[in-house]
Short mmCIF file of all heavy atoms in Angstrom, two decimals:
data_model
loop_
_atom_site.label_atom_id
_atom_site.label_comp_id
_atom_site.label_asym_id
_atom_site.label_seq_id
_atom_site.Cartn_x
_atom_site.Cartn_y
_atom_site.Cartn_z
N SER A 72 -5.62 -7.17 5.41
CA SER A 72 -4.40 -6.80 6.14
C SER A 72 -3.91 -5.39 5.80
O SER A 72 -3.08 -4.84 6.51
CB SER A 72 -3.29 -7.81 5.86
OG SER A 72 -2.89 -7.73 4.50
N LYS A 73 -4.40 -4.80 4.71
CA LYS A 73 -3.99 -3.45 4.31
C LYS A 73 -5.14 -2.44 4.44
O LYS A 73 -5.03 -1.32 3.97
CB LYS A 73 -3.51 -3.45 2.87
CG LYS A 73 -2.28 -4.29 2.63
CD LYS A 73 -1.86 -4.24 1.18
CE LYS A 73 -0.65 -5.11 0.90
NZ LYS A 73 -0.26 -5.04 -0.51
N SER A 74 -6.21 -2.83 5.09
CA SER A 74 -7.37 -1.95 5.17
C SER A 74 -7.33 -1.06 6.41
O SER A 74 -6.61 -1.34 7.36
CB SER A 74 -8.66 -2.78 5.15
OG SER A 74 -8.76 -3.53 6.34
N PHE A 75 -8.10 0.01 6.36
CA PHE A 75 -8.20 0.99 7.45
C PHE A 75 -9.67 1.21 7.78
O PHE A 75 -10.54 1.02 6.94
CB PHE A 75 -7.61 2.34 7.01
CG PHE A 75 -6.13 2.35 6.82
CD1 PHE A 75 -5.56 1.86 5.65
CD2 PHE A 75 -5.30 2.84 7.80
CE1 PHE A 75 -4.19 1.88 5.47
CE2 PHE A 75 -3.93 2.86 7.63
CZ PHE A 75 -3.38 2.37 6.46
N THR A 76 -9.93 1.64 9.01
CA THR A 76 -11.27 2.05 9.42
C THR A 76 -11.16 3.48 9.92
O THR A 76 -10.33 3.77 10.79
CB THR A 76 -11.81 1.15 10.54
OG1 THR A 76 -11.83 -0.20 10.06
CG2 THR A 76 -13.20 1.57 10.96
N LEU A 77 -11.99 4.36 9.38
CA LEU A 77 -11.98 5.75 9.82
C LEU A 77 -12.67 5.85 11.17
O LEU A 77 -13.77 5.32 11.36
CB LEU A 77 -12.70 6.64 8.80
CG LEU A 77 -12.63 8.15 9.03
CD1 LEU A 77 -11.19 8.64 8.94
CD2 LEU A 77 -13.49 8.88 8.01
N ALA A 78 -12.02 6.50 12.13
CA ALA A 78 -12.61 6.66 13.46
C ALA A 78 -13.94 7.40 13.34
O ALA A 78 -14.10 8.31 12.52
CB ALA A 78 -11.65 7.44 14.36
N SER A 79 -14.90 7.02 14.17
CA SER A 79 -16.25 7.57 14.06
C SER A 79 -16.37 8.98 14.63
O SER A 79 -17.35 9.66 14.35
CB SER A 79 -17.24 6.64 14.75
OG SER A 79 -16.89 6.52 16.12
N ASP A 80 -15.40 9.42 15.41
CA ASP A 80 -15.52 10.74 16.04
C ASP A 80 -14.53 11.77 15.49
O ASP A 80 -14.10 12.66 16.20
CB ASP A 80 -15.35 10.61 17.56
CG ASP A 80 -14.03 9.97 17.95
OD1 ASP A 80 -13.37 9.38 17.07
OD2 ASP A 80 -13.66 10.06 19.12
N CYS A 81 -14.19 11.65 14.20
CA CYS A 81 -13.30 12.63 13.58
C CYS A 81 -14.00 13.98 13.47
O CYS A 81 -15.21 14.03 13.25
CB CYS A 81 -12.90 12.17 12.18
SG CYS A 81 -11.90 10.68 12.15
N GLN A 82 -13.24 15.04 13.60
CA GLN A 82 -13.80 16.39 13.51
C GLN A 82 -12.90 17.27 12.67
O GLN A 82 -11.78 17.56 13.06
CB GLN A 82 -13.95 17.00 14.90
CG GLN A 82 -14.92 16.25 15.79
CD GLN A 82 -14.97 16.86 17.18
OE1 GLN A 82 -14.36 17.88 17.45
NE2 GLN A 82 -15.71 16.22 18.05
N ILE A 83 -13.40 17.69 11.51
CA ILE A 83 -12.67 18.59 10.63
C ILE A 83 -13.57 19.79 10.33
O ILE A 83 -14.73 19.63 9.96
CB ILE A 83 -12.28 17.89 9.32
CG1 ILE A 83 -11.13 16.93 9.54
CG2 ILE A 83 -11.89 18.89 8.23
CD1 ILE A 83 -9.81 17.58 9.87
N THR A 84 -13.03 20.97 10.49
CA THR A 84 -13.76 22.19 10.17
C THR A 84 -13.58 22.46 8.69
O THR A 84 -12.45 22.53 8.20
CB THR A 84 -13.21 23.37 10.99
OG1 THR A 84 -13.25 23.01 12.37
CG2 THR A 84 -14.02 24.62 10.75
N ASP A 85 -14.69 22.64 7.97
CA ASP A 85 -14.64 22.88 6.53
C ASP A 85 -14.36 24.36 6.28
O ASP A 85 -15.18 25.21 6.59
CB ASP A 85 -15.97 22.47 5.90
CG ASP A 85 -15.90 22.42 4.39
OD1 ASP A 85 -14.93 22.95 3.81
OD2 ASP A 85 -16.82 21.85 3.77
N PRO A 86 -13.19 24.70 5.70
CA PRO A 86 -12.87 26.10 5.47
C PRO A 86 -13.56 26.71 4.24
O PRO A 86 -13.52 27.91 4.05
CB PRO A 86 -11.35 26.08 5.27
CG PRO A 86 -11.08 24.74 4.69
CD PRO A 86 -12.10 23.82 5.32
N ARG A 87 -14.20 25.87 3.42
CA ARG A 87 -14.84 26.38 2.20
C ARG A 87 -16.14 27.08 2.54
O ARG A 87 -16.86 26.69 3.43
CB ARG A 87 -15.10 25.24 1.23
CG ARG A 87 -13.85 24.48 0.85
CD ARG A 87 -14.16 23.24 0.07
NE ARG A 87 -15.02 22.37 0.86
CZ ARG A 87 -15.75 21.37 0.38
NH1 ARG A 87 -15.70 21.11 -0.89
NH2 ARG A 87 -16.49 20.63 1.16
N THR A 88 -16.46 28.11 1.79
CA THR A 88 -17.69 28.85 2.01
C THR A 88 -18.42 29.05 0.69
O THR A 88 -17.84 28.95 -0.39
CB THR A 88 -17.40 30.24 2.62
OG1 THR A 88 -16.52 30.95 1.74
CG2 THR A 88 -16.76 30.10 3.99
N GLY A 89 -19.71 29.38 0.80
CA GLY A 89 -20.51 29.75 -0.37
C GLY A 89 -20.64 28.64 -1.39
O GLY A 89 -20.83 27.48 -1.07
N ASP A 90 -20.54 29.03 -2.67
CA ASP A 90 -20.75 28.10 -3.78
C ASP A 90 -19.49 27.30 -4.14
O ASP A 90 -19.53 26.51 -5.06
CB ASP A 90 -21.22 28.88 -5.02
CG ASP A 90 -22.58 29.52 -4.79
OD1 ASP A 90 -23.36 28.97 -3.99
OD2 ASP A 90 -22.85 30.57 -5.42
N SER A 91 -18.39 27.54 -3.46
CA SER A 91 -17.15 26.86 -3.81
C SER A 91 -16.98 25.56 -3.04
O SER A 91 -15.89 25.21 -2.65
CB SER A 91 -15.96 27.77 -3.53
OG SER A 91 -15.87 28.02 -2.14
N LYS A 92 -18.07 24.83 -2.84
CA LYS A 92 -18.01 23.62 -2.02
C LYS A 92 -17.89 22.35 -2.86
O LYS A 92 -18.38 21.32 -2.49
CB LYS A 92 -19.22 23.54 -1.11
CG LYS A 92 -19.17 24.53 0.02
CD LYS A 92 -20.08 24.10 1.12
CE LYS A 92 -19.68 24.76 2.40
NZ LYS A 92 -20.21 24.11 3.54
N GLN A 93 -17.24 22.45 -4.01
CA GLN A 93 -17.01 21.26 -4.81
C GLN A 93 -15.62 20.72 -4.52
O GLN A 93 -14.69 21.47 -4.23
CB GLN A 93 -17.14 21.57 -6.29
CG GLN A 93 -18.58 21.87 -6.70
CD GLN A 93 -18.69 22.03 -8.21
OE1 GLN A 93 -17.71 22.02 -8.92
NE2 GLN A 93 -19.91 22.19 -8.69
#
Side-chain angles (χ1 to χ4, degrees):
S72 67
K73 297 180 182 180
S74 68
F75 291 81
T76 302
L77 187 64
S79 60
D80 57 346
C81 294
Q82 297 177 5
I83 286 291
T84 306
D85 192 345
R87 302 171 301 162
T88 58
D90 296 331
S91 65
K92 287 201 159 198
Q93 290 186 355

